Amino acid sequence: MPQTLAGGKYKLAKDISQQAGSAVPHDGANEHGIEAAGGQYSSGTKSLVMLGLYGVIDDPETTVDHTIRGMTSDGKTEVAVADKKFTPSGGGDSLTCGVDVRTEMGQKVTLPFCVWADSSTSGNVAETDASELSKDPQSVDLQEFADKADRIRKEVRKPLG
């Protein structure tokens, strides 16, 4: 995982690749030979988690759907703003972004996220802000977050081989 993301704005606090690898099936109906990489990053009051998978992905849309469904399967997280596709402001491949709300120790935490996948990689980025943990999910600027996630995607994507 890179030491910084989003042009140096976020600094790596913890590499979670090993944890992510043990939580992700390496072979499934849609994904084959999957390896995981991930990191927790911080910038002031903001905390960002970036998880990436690489291997062979038969149907990227299915991978995006599985990732998003998986984010709310813990019984503590609910969809606050339904996911939809965003094209980065500078153009390029779309990302699917939304906002979930997770309840942690009685506290509601607003969690904007973006997910993407292609034939060999998938990734997701989610962010919390300690200064406004229970921010109104409807007030999150998802286009702005999609642009940030796209910048991160460009920083972490590696060519095959």
Side-chain angles (χ1 to χ4, degrees):
M1 293 304 297
Q3 290 301 305
T4 62
L5 286 178
K9 187 173 175 194
Y10 292 84
K11 306 239 177 302
L12 181 65
K14 183 179 182 188
D15 187 314
I16 57 171
S17 298
Q18 201 167 5
Q19 290 164 271
S22 63
V24 171
H26 297 279
D27 285 290
N30 188 54
E31 296 97 6
H32 315 281
I34 296 295
E35 297 294 326
Q40 292 176 334
Y41 291 80
S42 61
S43 175
T45 59
K46 294 184 179 190
S47 178
L48 183 134
V49 174
M50 191 281 148
L51 290 173
L53 303 176
Y54 57 96
V56 176
I57 298 173
D58 296 333
D59 180 8
E61 284 300 314
T62 298
T63 298
V64 168
D65 290 344
H66 286 176
T67 301
I68 292 170
R69 251 202 323 278
M71 292 165 69
T72 55
S73 65
D74 62 4
K76 298 185 293 189
T77 306
E78 57 195 51
V79 176
V81 176
D83 57 271
K84 66 179 204 170
K85 286 191 183 297
F86 286 85
T87 300
S89 293
D93 296 336
S94 68
L95 303 99
T96 302
C97 305
V99 184
D100 289 343
V101 172
R102 177 179 293 143
T103 303
E104 293 180 11
M105 296 178 283
Q107 166 82 45
K108 292 211 178 288
V109 178
T110 301
L111 199 64
F113 67 86
C114 287
V115 180
W116 68 86
D118 58 34
S119 62
S120 62
T121 61
S122 92
N124 71 65
V125 175
E127 182 180 70
T128 57
D129 187 338
S131 69
E132 36 180 16
L133 282 177
S134 43
K135 177 179 184 169
D136 175 6
Q138 306 299 325
S139 72
V140 174
D141 183 339
L142 282 174
Q143 181 65 58
E144 182 182 310
F145 193 69
D147 292 344
K148 182 187 300 184
D150 181 57
R151 181 172 190 174
I152 291 167
R153 170 171 61 182
K154 287 175 178 149
E155 291 171 347
V156 299
R157 212 180 234 174
K158 301 277 186 263
L160 280 175

